[in-house]
Amino acid sequence: EVLQQNDFISNWVSLLDQSDSMDNNVDTTARNALKISYENCLTFPWIQEKVKNQQLSIHLWFFAIDKGQIQTYCHETQQFSEFGI
């Protein structure tokens, strides 16, 4: 079955496609898509409420294949860094 063009997943994916049109780096695009996905999750009231009440934590992890490392996103610095550092 083909997804309808007006469903929220198609809209979400289209935002990811446009997330980093100025940079052709695949990893940069993937990291930006991860941040957009996180922001989209917070548009759901039940998720937003659980995050606010500290009943749910959402972690942004990225696996950098070229470095063989897991990177985590820090909201304060707005940067990814190697997990555990």
Side-chain angles (χ1 to χ4, degrees), residues 54-68:
Q54 298 181 345
Q55 296 172 310
L56 175 67
S57 295
I58 302 174
H59 302 275
L60 284 72
W61 289 23
F62 178 79
F63 182 66
I65 294 173
D66 61 333
K67 297 176 183 172

Side-chain angles (χ1 to χ4, degrees), residues 68-82:
Q69 65 182 216
I70 295 173
Q71 298 175 350
T72 60
Y73 184 74
C74 174
H75 292 281
E76 290 80 31
T77 64
Q78 298 184 355
Q79 301 223 349
F80 283 88
S81 62
E82 185 176 356

Side-chain angles (χ1 to χ4, degrees), residues 20-38:
D20 200 21
S21 60
M22 299 299 288
D23 190 338
N24 291 327
N25 183 301
V26 174
D27 285 350
T28 301
T29 301
R31 285 183 194 95
N32 287 340
L34 185 59
K35 290 185 285 186
I36 289 170
S37 292
Y38 169 76

Side-chain angles (χ1 to χ4, degrees), residues 7-59:
D7 70 331
F8 79 94
I9 293 188
S10 294
N11 292 335
W12 194 329
V13 171
S14 72
L15 290 173
L16 300 179
D17 289 341
Q18 300 167 17
S19 69
D20 200 21
S21 60
M22 299 299 288
D23 190 338
N24 291 327
N25 183 301
V26 174
D27 285 350
T28 301
T29 301
R31 285 183 194 95
N32 287 340
L34 185 59
K35 290 185 285 186
I36 289 170
S37 292
Y38 169 76
E39 292 167 7
N40 283 339
C41 283
L42 295 178
T43 66
F44 293 92
W46 62 274
I47 293 177
Q48 190 178 61
E49 179 183 338
K50 293 210 180 277
V51 169
K52 181 181 176 184
N53 294 331
Q54 298 181 345
Q55 296 172 310
L56 175 67
S57 295
I58 302 174
H59 302 275

